[in-house]
Amino acid sequence: MAANGLNLCSFFIFAFLIINGAKTKPTVGIFPPSCNRIECPKFEVIEANNGYEIRSYDSPMWMSTAPIDDISLVNATRTGFLQLFDYIQGKNEYHQKIEMTAPVLTQVSPSDGPFCATSFVVSFYIPKENQGNPPAAQGLHVQKWGKTLAAVRQFSGFVKDYDVAEETAALYASLEGSKWFDAIRKAPTADPTTTYTVAQYNSPFEFDNRVNEIWLLLDVKDYFGM
C-alpha cells in the first residue's frame, strides 16, 4: 500500500495530477437541486474551506451492490445503477416499490492488479420510511454507516473517469496541511470508502445544474477528540 492509504496505481495518478495542477475550480456549498424533489441524507457542515467542506452525516443507510470489478467507474456505476433501479421498482423480497433517492454512491477501492483494475460498490440511499425493514434482494446488501464524517469536493457536468481522478487528487491536495488530513489517513482500512467515494445527484436525463461530489471519510474518533 502506498503512502496516505493510496495503492500504487492510484498514487502515481494522483501525484501526477497534483504536481501538474488540477484544472477545475474548487467548489463547495452548492445545494443539489434534486434534493428539493427527492429524499437525500441530512448532514451538517462542520467546516467550509478553500476547495472542500467537512460534513457530519447522522447514520445514513444504503442499499449496495456486491463489488463490481472494472477499469471504468462510469461503466461500473451504470451496471450497479441498473441492479438498484430494479430493486426499487419491486425486484425485492417484498415486491415493494421504493422511492428514488439521491445521491447514487460509487465506493472506489483501486487494486494493485494489472491495468489498474478497480473494485466498485454502487449504492442507493434508503428512504427513512424504509430503513426500519428494507426488503432484501439477491446480490444486494444493506450498509449501515453510523455517524460519519466526510471531506467533500463538488464538481459539475457528467462524470468521466479522468475527471474523478483529477477531482480526488485536488481534494487530497486541498486538505494537506489541515487538521483533517491525518483523520482521513486513520479512517478504518476495512471500509472501502476510505479510498474515495463518488456521489452523483442527477438523473442521466438532466443536462443542467448537475452536481457531483468526491467524499473522503474521516476517522470520527479523531474529530470528537479535537
Side-chain angles (χ1 to χ4, degrees):
M1 187 70 66
N4 300 334
L6 298 177
N7 68 33
L8 187 61
C9 175
S10 57
F11 174 77
F12 285 117
I13 294 173
F14 291 168
F16 173 82
L17 291 167
I18 291 171
I19 291 170
N20 288 276
K23 297 179 181 178
T24 55
K25 296 179 180 179
T27 56
V28 293
I30 299 172
F31 184 77
S34 56
C35 293
N36 289 318
R37 305 187 302 272
I38 57 178
E39 187 177 344
C40 299
K42 304 295 185 184
F43 63 86
E44 176 187 358
V45 176
I46 303 298
E47 179 183 317
N49 213 318
N50 182 30
Y52 70 88
E53 65 183 15
I54 306 299
R55 297 178 184 171
S56 173
Y57 285 90
D58 189 12
S59 305
M61 186 181 294
W62 310 87
M63 184 60 68
S64 304
T65 67
I68 300 167
D69 293 329
D70 206 309
I71 60 171
S72 167
L73 178 142
V74 173
N75 290 343
T77 300
R78 184 183 301 113
T79 298
F81 180 93
L82 292 174
Q83 294 177 36
L84 291 161
F85 188 76
D86 284 346
Y87 171 81
I88 66 172
Q89 290 298 302
K91 193 175 180 180
N92 56 61
E93 185 178 50
Y94 304 153
H95 305 289
Q96 178 183 5
K97 288 194 174 183
I98 298 170
E99 291 295 325
M100 184 66 196
T101 59
V104 176
L105 291 191
T106 306
Q107 297 164 254
V108 186
S109 299
S111 73
D112 291 314
F115 309 113
C116 296
T118 303
S119 178
F120 303 94
V121 174
V122 184
S123 304
F124 280 8
Y125 175 65
I126 300 174
K128 284 286 186 182
E129 68 172 330
N130 301 106
Q131 289 185 11
N133 188 24
Q138 185 175 3
L140 302 178
H141 65 279
V142 173
Q143 288 195 61
K144 299 177 181 179
W145 279 14
K147 195 167 183 65
T148 301
L149 289 176
V152 178
R153 176 184 174 89
Q154 295 179 318
F155 62 104
S156 60
F158 284 91
V159 170
K160 302 179 181 65
D161 291 317
Y162 182 83
D163 289 342
V164 168
E166 185 176 75
E167 297 292 342
T168 306
L171 178 54
Y172 267 99
S174 68
L175 289 162
E176 279 195 283
S178 75
K179 64 184 180 182
W180 305 107
F181 193 68
D182 283 342
I184 290 172
R185 294 191 298 154
K186 292 177 184 177
T189 55
D191 187 336
T193 60
T194 56
T195 306
Y196 62 92
T197 297
V198 180
Q200 300 184 61
Y201 287 86
N202 299 85
S203 155
F205 307 107
E206 294 180 75
F207 295 91
D208 299 321
N209 301 315
R210 298 189 65 83
V211 178
N212 314 297
E213 296 172 343
I214 303 294
W215 294 3
L216 298 174
L217 297 197
L218 287 73
D219 185 83
V220 177
K221 292 179 183 178
D222 266 19
Y223 170 69
F224 288 112
M226 286 176 182

